[in-house]
Amino acid sequence: MRLRGGLLLSGVFLGGLALGTVAQPLTRAMGQDAPSDSTYQQLSLFGDVLTQVKQNYVMDPPSDKLIYNAINGMLTGLDPHSSYMNAQQYADMQVQTSGQFGGLGLEVTEKDGLLEIIAPIDGTPGARAGIKHNDIILEINGHSTDGLALDDAVSKMRGAPGTQITLTIKRNGVNTPIHVTLTREVIKIDDVKDKLFNTPDGPVGYIRLSSFDENADPHIRNAVNDLSQQAHGKLHGYILDLRDNPGGLLDQAVAVSNDFLDSGEIVSTHGRHSEDDQVWYAQQSGDITNNAPIVVLTDAGTASAAEIVTAALQQNRRALVLGTKTFGKGSVQTIMPIDNEGALRLTTALYFTPSGKSIQGYGVSPDVTVSDTNLPNDEFFAQLRETDLLNSFANPTGQNPAPLPPAPALPAVTASIPAKPPANWPAFDPTKQDTDFQLQMGIKLVDGMSAAQ
């Protein structure tokens, strides 16, 4: 399933590279909505300022740097996800959507002048070093990141595979800085992982989807088939883990949603030009799990394309969502190549869930709220979300959402699922599934859903 137009749903930077998609020509540049006379007057002002800088600045700055900074200033002043990519950045982005790229595997953004981690990608140097969502990067190789532009910080983290870099990190609940040395490498994203959990009530299939690159849909299908074979067709439910998934390609979000649905609306997009609006529905040949119970795991790092899938399954009454509220990114970016000069990443639409409501700034609320930590709220930074980003959009749908089918009663087991781990719960270790409290509660919920059928 391919979307025309190369639409992108993730707007954060990924270990030195911007998460991207396939390209779309710049078709509306000189046609409709031509600049007005006042626009040309402002361009004249820009020309005057450029001339003064070139003639009187303390040193002669390169013209290409001035223009590049001006373009990016214009775009980032619109919203946090629009930007300009030079030719090298555009080439890097195209490589990344294929699932292989160079870097640290860290999704980063800028908040109040600080460099903050959205999420580490599974299997990358950042994940292996134990870097976590909401970590603040204070220093890169001993140099402060205070006030450092996001592009500059990303450039500093890039480097040849095999070279080392040291990050100094501030973490929730930890009073002293953490120094982490990582080795840069070429990263091949293993976007889908699956595992069979044998519970007293029967086998539960676990699927971890870490990003929506161009292989997400076929890999999900392979995982479901693999789990079914391992369980000899006796699976009584699935867990779809979308925690710390920053999003990616819109067509893959639609395709993955369709894998678990056989009817209903998945998502719609609405932009400035009504002729570009689109709606996607599930196909009748969908639901590769044969309507088995599904629990979706979410957290504050579940963003964009991952939120589309979460909302589509939740609002079509196909799955229950367990975890914490998602990131809240409801905008769509289109990649527009500019001849031999890189590409423009421009926000061209907002997407809307089956309820007819935008999640922009709100996110998706879980059916069963379960935190991954038992720390009091005053011991850690507020969870980074879309509304914390500079120039983020206001939600356009303050009205009540369109009517939905009545929500099913939650299974009785939810009454025994606590909102936080107990005080004696072991520290999280990614190599030990029994330390993952949200996962354990997800397995418990699947068992309860299966028993209730």
Side-chain angles (χ1 to χ4, degrees):
M1 185 179 288
R2 256 299 171 200
L3 265 185
R4 68 173 181 83
L7 299 181
L8 167 71
L9 287 167
S10 176
V12 295
F13 282 85
L14 192 60
L17 298 174
L19 189 57
T21 184
V22 293
Q24 172 180 334
L26 187 57
T27 58
R28 215 182 285 272
M30 297 303 293
Q32 303 175 28
D33 304 325
S36 64
D37 290 342
S38 62
T39 301
Y40 287 117
Q41 291 174 1
Q42 296 302 313
L43 287 173
S44 177
L45 171 62
F46 173 77
D48 292 341
V49 172
L50 181 64
T51 298
Q52 291 296 328
V53 171
K54 288 294 291 181
Q55 291 180 352
N56 298 311
Y57 188 65
V58 65
M59 58 189 70
D60 185 14
S63 296
D64 58 349
K65 180 179 180 180
L66 293 176
I67 298 301
Y68 176 81
N69 290 342
I71 292 172
N72 257 324
M74 172 179 64
L75 294 170
T76 57
L78 295 174
D79 70 83
H81 307 295
S82 294
S83 64
Y84 169 71
M85 295 176 283
N86 61 30
Q88 182 58 54
Q89 291 169 331
Y90 181 39
D92 289 342
M93 182 274 298
Q94 291 174 303
V95 170
Q96 187 171 323
T97 55
S98 69
Q100 178 174 319
F101 58 94
L104 301 177
L106 297 176
E107 297 122 23
V108 298
T109 190
E110 186 177 2
K111 177 187 176 184
D112 298 329
L114 299 175
L115 196 63
E116 187 157 355
I117 302 294
I118 295 290
I121 290 184
D122 296 347
T124 65
R128 291 196 298 270
I131 295 176
K132 300 180 179 180
H133 170 71
N134 255 49
D135 280 353
I136 303 291
I137 301 178
L138 301 176
E139 296 180 349
I140 300 174
N141 285 334
H143 299 284
S144 174
T145 62
D146 186 23
L148 188 66
L150 183 59
D151 280 351
D152 293 337
V154 168
S155 295
K156 289 180 181 294
M157 288 190 287
R158 290 176 182 164
T163 60
Q164 290 190 329
I165 179 173
T166 298
L167 305 180
T168 302
I169 289 170
K170 175 67 179 76
R171 177 167 297 162
N172 288 333
V174 179
N175 295 326
T176 57
I178 299 171
H179 302 283
V180 181
T181 298
L182 305 94
T183 300
R184 299 179 179 97
E185 62 184 47
V186 175
I187 297 170
K188 297 180 180 179
I189 298 180
D190 186 9
D191 61 343
V192 175
K193 295 179 180 177
D194 64 82
K195 187 171 183 178
L196 190 68
F197 294 140
N198 290 306
T199 76
D201 298 312
V204 173
Y206 170 83
I207 301 174
R208 163 71 180 158
L209 177 58
S210 60
S211 67
F212 285 83
D213 66 22
E214 62 190 26
N215 297 309
D217 172 48
H219 288 174
I220 284 285
R221 289 176 168 272
N222 290 342
V224 169
N225 183 62
D226 178 55
L227 289 167
S228 180
Q229 290 183 3
Q230 290 184 56
H232 305 291
K234 296 180 180 180
L235 277 167
H236 74 289
Y238 290 86
I239 291 176
L240 178 61
D241 189 351
L242 297 181
R243 292 174 298 177
D244 291 332
N245 183 318
L249 301 175
L250 176 55
D251 64 341
Q252 292 300 301
V254 171
V256 169
S257 298
N258 189 65
D259 288 338
F260 301 105
L261 293 169
D262 54 21
S263 65
E265 181 180 325
I266 293 173
V267 68
S268 62
T269 59
H270 303 275
R272 179 174 176 179
H273 304 282
S274 59
E275 63 269 24
D276 294 332
D277 293 352
Q278 297 186 74
V279 184
W280 290 267
Y281 295 93
Q283 305 301 308
Q284 292 183 349
S285 59
D287 198 355
I288 57 178
T289 70
N290 295 317
N291 205 37
I294 298 175
V295 169
V296 180
L297 300 184
T298 63
D299 62 10
T302 304
S304 208
E307 292 176 286
I308 283 182
V309 174
T310 301
L313 299 187
Q314 182 189 55
Q315 294 180 12
N316 281 289
R317 310 310 185 203
R318 181 62 191 90
L320 292 180
V321 179
L322 181 145
T324 56
K325 184 181 289 188
T326 62
F327 187 76
K329 180 181 181 290
S331 61
V332 181
Q333 285 66 49
T334 302
I335 304 300
M336 302 174 175
I338 301 173
D339 290 345
N340 302 316
E341 294 292 343
L344 182 66
R345 185 206 336 251
L346 191 66
T347 299
T348 52
L350 297 177
Y351 70 80
F352 295 78
T353 66
S355 69
K357 196 172 181 68
S358 168
I359 65 163
Q360 175 66 22
Y362 292 162
V364 180
S365 295
D367 299 293
V368 183
T369 299
V370 176
S371 175
D372 64 348
T373 178
N374 53 27
L375 288 175
N377 290 337
D378 59 359
E379 288 191 17
F380 56 86
F381 296 116
Q383 294 287 292
L384 177 71
R385 288 188 169 87
E386 174 76 10
T387 51
D388 299 313
L389 303 182
L390 186 64
N391 299 319
S392 62
F393 286 106
N395 189 287
T397 54
Q399 77 278 8
N400 292 328
L404 286 171
L410 293 176
V413 70
T414 58
S416 64
I417 294 178
K420 289 185 176 182
N424 60 349
W425 191 262
F428 174 71
D429 182 341
T431 65
K432 299 178 181 178
Q433 69 185 52
D434 57 355
T435 66
D436 187 338
F437 186 71
Q438 290 172 321
L439 172 59
Q440 294 305 311
M441 294 305 100
I443 294 173
K444 187 174 183 178
L445 182 56
V446 168
D447 287 340
M449 293 168 66
S450 179
Q453 284 189 334

